Amino acid sequence: MATLQYKSYEECLSYSQINRIRLKYQSVLIDNLYYEYTTKIYKNYSLQINIDYNITLGMKSIILRLPQKNGQQPFKLLNQFGNSQILNENSSLNLQIEHKDVMSFMIESIALIFINECNVNKILEHLIQNHNFWLVMIGDQRCQIQLQHLQYDTFISLIDSQLITFLKSNQFKRNFKIEFQIHNSSILQFKYYKNDELIQNELVKKSFLISTNVGDNCIPYGQRISLGYYYTNYNKEDDIIDITYNTQSYCPQGFLHIFDENGIDQWIKIRETRILNMSKIYENSNQQFTYVTYINIVSLNSYTIQKFGQIYYYEIYGDIDSKSNKYQFKVPLKQYDNKEHKIIFFGDMDSNWNGNKSKETFDWFQSIQYNQSDYDVLIFEGDMAYDLESYNCQQGDWWLRNMTTFTSYYPLLSTPGNHDSGANYEFDYYRMSFLSPEKSQYNTRNNYYNFYSVDLGLVHYIFYNPTNIVYNESNQQQIDEMVQIMENDLNQANQNRENVPWIIVNSHFPMYCSDSSDNQCSQNFIALQPFADLFTKYRVAIYMSAHQHNYERDAPFINNQSQVNTGLITDGPQQHLVKNSAAPIYIVEGSAGQEYYTPLVPYENQPYTVFQTGYNDGIGIMTIHNSTHIYFEQIDLITQQVVDYFWCVQDRQINSNKTLNIILWTLLGFSILGILGIGILYLIRRQKIKEQLLP
């Protein structure tokens, strides 16, 4: 006799059919949570051995292969996530893999997680639920790259995982077979066969999840708004705005409540959960990390965001009992609406406040939390927290908690700095936590998310990260690739100049700066010259940076020389007016406040230096007035005074485009008239010939 048993969280049929044999189940409700169904398979049923039988358990289907010895050896099926486990040394389970994103099966103490679609949120759910078992991932190798921050035992790459036979000792003819042998509680061996040929044999050491408690602490923190694919060249309306928040536990039941004053009132589930497990990242190094956080992402599409330029309100529920405050944000316009728009720039900022270096900046941001009608987005020029991974990442965690002062009310666009790179220089904390840099057609692992661009109204904003270049850690091929990426994007933006006439480039690293003792100031214009040449070629208006811990404005130099015979117009040495420049105006916006290093500023002026401040907290505000005029001002947050300003005027590009269009249309008109004239002459001549030939 054999016993067949399974459990279900829903009531199922009390019987199942195997060939002509009808099995009747006895059901018991366990702890008011799930039903346990049991039936007996007797020897006189004469079921054939090693024959596949389809069994339906409620809405789930499995294929059962009975054990040897005519069923006299008892075995047990246990339903888990609608999947199964066999407890018998001489049993095998032939699994027909369904077309689901993620499925998990338990065979003895091995949890097998099948991945058809690389849905990290669902994969993480199965990982957490199966934390007491061996965790074996099975799927496409391309997905393995995306799972590097998750904790599991091994990943088996399959070409075709539609039909797999798992076995202990019996040998069956299948295209793909996996044989497991558990040596002890910490060593698992698996053999992977294709057409009976052993193609993989591996010993796996047991790994453990750092945190296995689901829902212990679902209080949301670190709320931050970012722009979705809609604002990039993808132009996808299914991802307009992303709202991200962290929890200390895995909380898949979290959701977002968003509403407005025009009838929108929606509850939106988490799209993706990422686990940032620093011990996994540094497991093969001498770095000691235990920090784990869960990053939850909610995406808003055109069904929710039905009107651009208006204010929406939202609340975050980490779970039903963990609710955030009420926040609000304005959805920026991608298309120009004939109104002026303001952008806030800042960089090099921590949140320690021991020396009160950034407190005024936080206080100022708190004062504008409800001024969405005044400002569209925030642009951060790199170097957060000092540093994100310091003190076992508690510095980064504290930064996330404090930055909600502004990132929960305004979309944040950022570019990474050298202090954001981490101990392994891979920018793991930064890349996992901030979404905007991922929104790029150039987003590849080899490129480290070093480039992206967005359109907002009349401006095309470019963000690039040349960290390895300025520190001379890139080979020529890598430099050429980055330069080519930049030119491709600039060329595409230039073709759209009629709709988006301005181009502004953002990077943490300045092209010019005045500290003569710093190689960044004396060498960057050389290291970044291929990019500077492109900025001149494509008429980039402004180059925003940071890195130096003050504010500085530099003249639009070309190859470290002032412009000659380029048509540049200024109003004198202070250059409060810069018109038709052939190179960008260079800004260093690094005075938001940090305690890492206090410079002795201002420095001695260089030939390109126009203005620089001392060491006070400050931010820059840019006003895009129209297609020809941009106004920028630097505010000292200690004195609340405007300490520098300039107008950037560009009408040459627009006029040249209009002139070119007029010439083209004129030529086209003359061409059409010429063709019509030739046609008329042809018809007249033909008629005359016809008249001459007729009697």
Side-chain angles (χ1 to χ4, degrees):
M1 181 185 72
T3 300
L4 175 64
Q5 184 183 79
Y6 71 95
K7 72 177 181 180
S8 173
Y9 289 96
E10 300 176 357
E11 281 194 86
C12 299
L13 298 174
S14 60
Y15 63 89
S16 65
Q17 191 83 18
I18 302 179
N19 284 359
R20 297 181 180 179
I21 300 175
R22 185 182 178 92
L23 300 177
K24 183 175 178 60
Y25 295 90
Q26 300 293 326
S27 65
V28 179
L29 182 61
I30 307 296
D31 297 330
N32 287 323
L33 294 177
Y34 61 89
Y35 293 90
E36 187 173 83
Y37 292 85
T38 306
T39 189
K40 306 293 185 182
I41 301 178
Y42 297 94
K43 184 176 180 180
N44 58 5
Y45 279 176
S46 298
L47 295 177
Q48 297 183 39
I49 305 304
N50 295 339
I51 299 297
D52 294 346
Y53 296 99
N54 293 316
I55 299 180
T56 299
L57 307 177
M59 299 299 293
K60 306 292 192 294
S61 295
I62 65 171
I63 299 176
L64 171 67
R65 174 158 286 175
L66 293 179
Q68 290 185 342
K69 299 186 178 178
N70 298 318
Q72 293 179 7
Q73 210 168 4
F75 65 96
K76 183 178 182 182
L77 287 177
L78 179 63
N79 189 287
Q80 173 89 4
F81 282 88
N83 305 313
S84 306
Q85 127 182 305
I86 281 188
L87 300 176
N88 189 294
E89 287 190 359
N90 293 319
S91 298
S92 70
L93 183 64
N94 182 14
L95 304 174
Q96 184 72 37
I97 307 306
E98 302 175 22
H99 289 285
K100 294 183 178 180
D101 288 357
V102 183
M103 299 177 64
S104 64
F105 295 84
M106 289 189 301
I107 299 180
E108 298 197 350
S109 59
I110 305 169
L112 303 161
I113 301 177
F114 287 90
I115 304 169
N116 288 322
E117 295 293 336
C118 200
N119 187 321
V120 179
N121 195 29
K122 291 184 179 180
I123 293 170
L124 182 60
E125 178 181 345
H126 287 268
L127 279 175
I128 293 293
Q129 293 294 337
N130 290 294
H131 64 262
N132 290 324
F133 302 91
W134 286 93
L135 299 174
V136 179
M137 303 280 220
I138 302 175
D140 193 310
Q141 186 176 12
R142 290 171 295 182
C143 186
Q144 185 178 7
I145 299 174
Q146 302 182 39
L147 306 179
Q148 61 178 323
H149 298 292
L150 299 183
Q151 195 80 5
Y152 55 90
D153 295 310
T154 189
F155 192 101
I156 303 174
S157 300
L158 297 181
I159 301 173
D160 181 4
S161 59
Q162 292 302 304
L163 186 60
I164 307 292
T165 297
F166 298 92
L167 54 139
K168 287 286 292 182
S169 60
N170 298 334
Q171 297 292 324
F172 301 106
K173 293 294 183 180
R174 297 288 175 186
N175 289 336
F176 298 95
K177 295 182 293 188
I178 299 176
E179 185 177 71
F180 293 97
Q181 182 177 357
I182 301 174
H183 291 264
N184 51 49
S185 61
S186 61
I187 299 295
L188 169 73
Q189 181 180 13
F190 76 85
K191 297 179 180 179
Y192 176 33
Y193 298 87
K194 179 181 180 182
N195 296 326
D196 292 328
E197 179 184 354
L198 181 64
I199 59 176
Q200 190 173 0
N201 184 5
E202 186 173 334
L203 289 173
V204 182
K205 186 176 180 180
K206 181 62 183 164
S207 179
F208 297 92
L209 284 173
I210 298 299
S211 175
T212 58
N213 296 323
V214 179
D216 282 354
N217 191 342
C218 293
I219 299 174
Y221 71 93
Q223 297 88 286
R224 47 205 182 273
I225 305 168
S226 57
L227 302 183
Y229 280 96
Y230 171 74
Y231 293 92
T232 69
N233 43 26
Y234 289 107
N235 201 37
K236 292 184 177 180
E237 294 188 354
D238 60 351
D239 183 19
I240 297 175
I241 294 289
D242 292 323
I243 296 179
T244 306
Y245 66 93
N246 290 49
T247 52
Q248 291 182 342
S249 299
Y250 174 58
C251 305
Q253 68 275 34
F255 56 91
L256 180 138
H257 179 210
I258 184 169
F259 51 97
D260 65 4
E261 297 177 351
N262 299 311
I264 294 294
D265 191 351
Q266 297 179 15
W267 305 80
I268 303 176
K269 295 181 180 180
I270 297 170
R271 170 177 65 84
E272 178 186 351
T273 297
R274 302 174 175 181
I275 178 172
L276 179 58
N277 185 346
M278 299 303 290
S279 64
K280 177 69 174 178
I281 292 173
Y282 289 104
E283 64 180 348
N284 296 320
S285 72
N286 57 3
Q287 300 289 331
Q288 298 297 317
F289 285 92
T290 60
Y291 177 81
V292 178
T293 187
Y294 295 87
I295 301 168
N296 307 280
I297 303 167
V298 178
S299 293
L300 308 179
N301 57 27
S302 57
Y303 177 75
T304 301
I305 305 300
Q306 298 183 7
K307 187 175 181 180
F308 291 83
Q310 80 158 42
I311 291 177
Y312 289 84
Y313 306 91
Y314 70 97
E315 301 163 330
I316 295 173
Y317 289 78
D319 59 21
I320 196 63
D321 298 318
S322 303
K323 177 184 174 183
S324 74
N325 295 328
K326 173 184 168 184
Y327 303 102
Q328 66 182 58
F329 69 96
K330 181 181 73 174
V331 181
L333 291 167
K334 185 175 183 178
Q335 286 78 28
Y336 180 49
D337 62 348
N338 295 312
K339 298 179 181 179
E340 66 178 39
H341 291 268
K342 294 183 179 181
I343 311 295
I344 299 172
F345 293 83
F346 61 118
D348 287 276
M349 181 177 177
D350 65 24
S351 59
N352 296 330
W353 302 341
N354 296 328
N356 204 32
K357 297 299 185 182
S358 61
K359 190 64 165 59
E360 278 75 14
T361 307
F362 277 96
D363 289 344
W364 185 83
F365 275 121
Q366 188 169 9
S367 72
I368 66 159
Q369 284 179 343
Y370 304 103
N371 291 21
Q372 279 81 11
S373 58
D374 293 336
Y375 308 104
D376 286 351
V377 299
L378 314 177
I379 294 182
F380 188 81
E381 303 294 353
D383 276 6
M384 304 175 174
Y386 284 86
D387 293 351
L388 290 171
E389 293 185 5
S390 295
Y391 306 111
N392 189 28
C393 295
Q394 292 308 307
Q395 198 87 330
D397 199 79
W398 184 243
W399 167 259
L400 291 177
R401 294 174 187 274
N402 283 321
M403 70 186 295
T404 58
T405 303
F406 45 88
T407 57
S408 55
Y409 294 89
Y410 295 93
L412 178 72
L413 297 167
S414 63
T415 185
N418 52 298
H419 283 276
D420 304 321
S421 64
N424 61 359
Y425 303 102
E426 298 283 353
F427 297 89
D428 290 295
Y429 197 107
Y430 176 86
R431 290 187 295 105
M432 289 282 286
S433 299
F434 299 96
L435 301 190
S436 290
E438 298 182 16
K439 312 301 185 184
S440 170
Q441 63 180 314
Y442 312 112
N443 175 23
T444 64
R445 177 65 182 172
N446 291 333
N447 196 36
Y448 294 101
Y449 308 96
N450 283 338
F451 189 98
Y452 72 105
S453 62
V454 299
D455 287 337
L456 287 173
L458 294 173
V459 183
H460 181 73
Y461 295 94
I462 294 175
F463 301 80
Y464 83 114
N465 174 24
T467 301
N468 292 339
I469 297 176
V470 298
Y471 286 107
N472 197 26
E473 295 174 355
S474 294
N475 58 43
Q476 191 59 47
Q477 180 181 351
Q478 293 169 328
I479 296 173
D480 292 343
E481 289 175 356
M482 178 66 79
V483 171
Q484 187 61 56
I485 288 172
M486 178 68 77
E487 180 156 28
N488 290 345
D489 191 87
L490 284 169
N491 183 51
Q492 186 175 358
N494 195 53
Q495 294 177 23
N496 194 33
R497 269 264 164 66
E498 191 71 24
N499 299 315
V500 185
W502 294 100
I503 300 176
I504 295 175
V505 173
N506 298 268
S507 171
H508 177 69
F509 298 95
M511 191 72 67
Y512 299 96
C513 48
S514 297
D515 183 3
S516 58
S517 65
D518 189 344
N519 287 337
Q520 297 288 324
C521 296
S522 60
Q523 299 297 317
N524 275 10
F525 77 91
I526 300 174
L528 299 177
Q529 181 175 343
F531 299 96
D533 292 343
L534 293 177
F535 302 155
T536 299
K537 177 181 178 180
Y538 291 98
R539 301 285 182 176
V540 172
I542 301 172
Y543 182 96
M544 300 295 304
S545 64
H547 192 68
Q548 297 296 303
H549 297 166
N550 69 327
Y551 166 80
E552 179 175 330
R553 175 162 60 96
D554 296 319
F557 269 35
I558 299 177
N559 294 331
N560 204 30
Q561 300 292 326
S562 59
Q563 295 186 40
V564 178
N565 298 325
T566 63
L568 170 67
I569 300 173
T570 66
D571 62 345
Q574 294 183 333
Q575 296 191 19
H576 290 306
L577 170 66
V578 179
K579 183 176 181 181
N580 292 338
S581 174
I585 302 168
Y586 294 102
I587 302 296
V588 178
E589 189 62 76
S591 62
Q594 49 71 47
E595 298 172 18
Y596 176 78
Y597 169 68
T598 302
L600 298 174
V601 289
Y603 302 106
E604 181 180 352
N605 283 348
Q606 302 299 317
Y608 43 74
T609 307
V610 176
F611 182 87
Q612 55 177 318
T613 64
Y615 185 64
N616 274 357
D617 287 4
I619 53 95
I621 299 177
M622 182 180 294
T623 304
I624 296 91
H625 283 272
N626 49 45
S627 61
T628 59
H629 287 70
I630 285 180
Y631 173 74
F632 181 91
E633 62 184 18
Q634 178 70 13
I635 299 177
D636 186 318
L637 297 178
I638 304 295
T639 64
Q640 295 292 311
Q641 299 293 319
V642 175
V643 294
D644 185 39
Y645 72 92
F646 67 88
W647 284 92
C648 180
V649 180
Q650 288 274 20
D651 59 10
R652 175 169 49 193
Q653 182 69 36
I654 301 299
N655 290 337
S656 63
N657 284 345
K658 290 181 178 178
T659 301
L660 179 62
N661 287 337
I662 292 172
I663 294 173
L664 290 175
W665 280 109
T666 302
L667 291 174
L668 180 62
F670 279 118
S671 299
I672 293 173
L673 290 175
I675 293 171
L676 289 174
I678 293 172
I680 293 171
L681 289 175
Y682 171 76
L683 292 175
I684 293 173
R685 180 174 176 80
R686 182 179 179 184
Q687 182 65 30
K688 288 182 177 181
I689 293 173
K690 183 178 180 181
E691 290 175 354
Q692 292 174 358
L693 294 175
L694 290 175

